[in-house]
């Protein structure tokens, strides 16, 4: 029993991934002040009933600016280039208000599904200008009560071959861009594209998060150049590559070499299951490749990895609910993850993406912000397998949402019964 002088709030009977038994969590001034088996103090109390408490899911790669476009164009796109063209045709008409409304819809779904940290990629080029950027900056401000939103600005349709994009990127970085991305496979000079992205990253002291490749032909790639730039500029631990679908097409020996290369350079990998599976291998008539890089195996071999959302309800991915727990479960199914891998699969949407984003205040630890979500399970091993509901969330010790358990009305009984698996 630990006695403290004052807390604003105490979470009672919280199950943490790191604890075998439940603990109490004391909150003062929006931060975690104590964690102990039993805290004695007069304070507002919330009994978590032995359910799993996490610091929230971390989404390292999503596109709020081009989400929720179903209904604006046909969605029979069979390739990455077709999807890019479809969005390019629409975004010239995007307004700040339009991007804000669509982004808010996704953000609110993400919040009630337990995401507390997010990096959104924002397209910057002469067609959209800075309208999407301004909208997402407003979203960052207006939803700070529930989620920490970080903006990664990037040129989707090239850089050296797209006059005006460079100047707009610089302007966005001066005005609040917190990371910079790139898309070398869309540029006529991929190496110059990458060099310029790294130049800007160094100039503005921001991390790099690239859309590296998006096909299944491992006979060529830009991974070598990314690793070279990372090592030359001493940027290890500050570079991530998204999709990286070519890695899924490598034979074992080449994959082993690539894994060593990534780990040595300090380049992280983000796998985007919904989009990668939707767009890769569509031309196959049978035995279609999945195009999914195995993040949990890379993580076991020392490569920092995450699993993220990417697109929601648009030509790249006409699905999505911004649930990272569902995405982790989806990934585990498709990646043939074994039961012993389930903890790593949960890491891929929590601890590992927090490291990828260099979030030094993430986690249920004394001194950190009191950002918590509560899952309807009393065994962390079931979080991936069972897809439990996210019951409630807190940001800086303030409740941000609650989800009520469904109620069953059994025949012949007037007493409602709360649903829930019995183990």
């Amino acid at each position: 029993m630990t006695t403290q002088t004052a807390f604003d709030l105490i979470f009672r009977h919280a199950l943490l991934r790191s604890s075998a038994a439940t603990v109490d969590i004391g909150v003062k001034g929006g931060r975690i002040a104590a964690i102990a088996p039993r805290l004695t103090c007069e304070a507002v109390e919330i009994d978590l009933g032995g359910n799993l408490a996490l610091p929230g899911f971390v989404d390292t790669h999503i596109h709020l600016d081009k989400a929720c476009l179903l209904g604006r164009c046909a969605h029979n796109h069979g390739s990455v280039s077709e999807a890019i063209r479809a969005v390019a045709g629409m975004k010239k008409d995007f307004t700040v208000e339009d991007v804000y409304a669509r982004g808010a819809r996704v953000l609110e779904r993400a919040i009630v599904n337990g995401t507390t940290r997010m990096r959104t990629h924002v397209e910057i080029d002469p067609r959209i200008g800075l309208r999407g950027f301004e909208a997402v900056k407003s979203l960052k401000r207006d939803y700070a009560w529930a989620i920490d939103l970080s903006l990664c600005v990037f040129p989707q349709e090239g850089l050296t071959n797209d006059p005006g994009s460079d100047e707009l990127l610089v302007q966005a970085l001066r005005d609040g861009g917190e990371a910079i991305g790139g898309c070398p496979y869309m540029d006529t000079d991929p190496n110059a594209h990458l060099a310029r992205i790294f130049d800007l990253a160094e100039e503005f002291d921001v991390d790099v998060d690239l859309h590296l490749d998006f096909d299944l032909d491992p006979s060529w790639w830009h991974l070598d150049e990314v690793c070279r730039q990372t090592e030359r500029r001493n940027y290890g631990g500050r570079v991530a590559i998204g999709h990286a679908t070519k890695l899924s097409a490598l034979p074992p020996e080449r994959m082993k070499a690539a894994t060593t290369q990534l780990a040595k350079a300090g380049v992280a990998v983000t796998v985007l299951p919904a989009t990668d599976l939707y767009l890769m291998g569509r031309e196959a008539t049978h035995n279609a490749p999945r195009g999914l890089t195995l993040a949990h195996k890379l993580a076991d071999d020392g490569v920092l990895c995450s699993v993220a959302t990417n697109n929601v309800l648009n030509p790249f991915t006409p699905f999505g609910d911004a649930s990272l727990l569902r995405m982790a479960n989806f990934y585990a199914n498709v990646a043939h993850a074994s039961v012993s891998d389930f903890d790593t699969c949960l890491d891929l949407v929590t601890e590992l993406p927090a490291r990828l984003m260099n979030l030094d205040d993430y986690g249920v630890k004394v001194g950190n912000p009191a950002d918590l979500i509560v899952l309807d399970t009393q065994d962390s091993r079931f979080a991936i397998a069972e897809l439990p509901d996210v019951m409630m969330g807190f940001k800086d010790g303030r409740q941000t949402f609650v989800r009520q358990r469904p109620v069953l009305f059994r025949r012949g009984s007037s007493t409602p019964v709360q649903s829930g698996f019995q183990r």
Side-chain angles (χ1 to χ4, degrees):
M1 186 176 292
T2 302
T3 302
Q4 296 287 336
T5 54
F7 294 119
D8 303 321
L9 170 68
I10 297 177
F11 295 104
R12 298 285 188 196
H13 308 118
L15 178 67
L16 305 182
R17 293 181 71 190
S18 59
S19 60
T22 62
V23 296
D24 291 348
I25 303 170
V27 178
K28 179 68 176 178
R31 292 188 171 268
I32 297 172
I35 301 173
R38 177 67 181 171
L39 294 173
T40 59
C41 175
E42 291 295 324
V44 175
E45 297 185 3
I46 298 178
D47 192 338
L48 302 189
N51 287 300
L52 180 64
L54 298 174
F57 300 119
V58 182
D59 203 330
T60 61
H61 191 127
I62 195 169
H63 295 265
L64 295 177
D65 56 341
K66 56 187 181 189
C68 302
L69 295 173
L70 289 179
R72 298 194 185 185
C73 67
H75 285 270
N76 298 319
H77 306 102
S79 69
V80 177
S81 59
E82 288 177 7
I84 290 173
R85 283 196 298 271
V87 173
M90 289 185 282
K91 71 180 177 182
K92 66 180 185 302
D93 297 320
F94 288 174
T95 64
V96 172
E97 295 74 19
D98 170 46
V99 173
Y100 184 98
R102 289 184 287 102
R105 177 180 167 188
V106 175
L107 263 187
E108 290 178 9
R109 292 295 296 273
I111 290 166
V112 299
N113 282 317
T115 298
T116 56
R117 311 284 184 110
M118 176 183 285
R119 173 183 285 173
T120 182
H121 291 248
V122 184
E123 294 190 19
I124 305 291
D125 60 44
R127 288 154 293 284
I128 182 66
L130 296 175
R131 298 189 302 278
F133 179 69
E134 293 300 329
V136 179
K137 276 204 308 180
S138 295
L139 290 170
K140 174 185 173 72
R141 178 195 66 225
D142 294 348
Y143 283 88
W145 55 271
I147 190 168
D148 292 321
L149 185 61
S150 175
L151 281 64
C152 177
V153 297
F154 86 111
Q156 169 74 76
E157 298 171 49
L159 180 58
T160 69
N161 56 335
D162 196 11
S165 289
D166 195 297
E167 292 82 358
L168 288 166
L169 275 174
V170 170
Q171 189 173 342
L173 288 166
R174 286 174 176 163
D175 197 24
E178 295 155 284
I180 187 168
C183 202
Y185 64 86
M186 290 297 294
D187 204 303
T188 52
D189 191 341
N191 285 355
H193 180 112
L194 288 169
R196 181 56 178 159
I197 295 302
F198 275 90
D199 284 345
L200 289 171
E202 285 190 308
E203 179 181 348
F204 289 94
D205 191 24
V206 296
D207 291 356
V208 174
D209 197 333
L210 302 162
H211 292 63
L212 184 63
D213 56 52
F214 217 166
D215 64 76
L216 299 176
D217 179 3
S219 67
W220 62 273
W221 64 7
H222 306 304
L223 180 61
D224 294 337
E225 180 63 16
V226 171
C227 291
R228 189 185 73 82
Q229 291 280 356
T230 301
E231 292 180 318
R232 183 170 73 83
R233 298 169 190 260
N234 196 29
Y235 239 59
R238 301 191 67 181
V239 179
I241 55 175
H243 300 290
T245 50
K246 289 179 185 286
L247 291 172
S248 73
L250 294 180
E253 285 306 310
R254 282 195 64 193
M255 186 61 185
K256 182 178 179 181
T259 300
T260 300
Q261 183 180 21
L262 288 163
K264 178 176 178 290
V267 173
V269 175
T270 295
V271 173
L272 305 161
T275 304
D276 296 346
L277 285 158
Y278 178 68
L279 288 175
M280 293 296 97
R282 294 179 68 87
E283 70 285 353
T285 59
H286 60 285
N287 286 339
R290 300 181 181 208
L292 186 76
T293 293
L294 300 182
H296 68 290
K297 292 188 178 296
L298 282 173
D300 286 344
D301 289 332
V303 179
L304 183 58
C305 291
S306 68
V307 162
T309 299
N310 196 42
N311 284 291
V312 176
L313 304 177
N314 73 11
F316 293 88
T317 320
F319 312 100
D321 59 0
S323 168
L324 277 179
L325 187 60
R326 184 185 67 81
M327 194 62 68
N329 169 277
F330 179 46
Y331 167 84
N333 273 268
V334 178
H336 293 151
S338 63
V339 175
S340 61
D341 295 321
F342 285 179
D343 269 339
T344 301
C345 290
L346 187 55
D347 289 340
L348 287 168
V349 291
T350 53
E351 304 292 339
L352 297 179
R355 284 176 51 199
L356 187 153
M357 289 179 61
N358 291 304
L359 303 177
D360 56 11
D361 62 349
Y362 177 84
V364 184
K365 302 173 185 174
V366 172
N368 280 354
D371 298 351
L372 294 175
I373 62 170
V374 183
L375 273 60
D376 189 12
T377 182
Q378 296 184 342
D379 190 328
S380 63
R381 296 173 302 173
F382 288 90
I384 292 297
E386 186 180 286
L387 278 179
D389 286 339
V390 184
M391 300 168 63
M392 61 185 78
F394 300 83
K395 178 77 167 66
D396 297 326
R398 175 188 174 276
Q399 189 157 12
T400 54
F401 72 92
V402 64
R403 179 182 282 109
Q404 301 295 338
R405 269 197 180 133
V407 175
L408 299 176
F409 294 90
R410 299 189 187 282
R411 181 177 294 180
S413 173
S414 60
T415 303
V417 179
Q418 281 194 325
S419 65
F421 289 129
Q422 299 297 318
R423 300 189 187 91

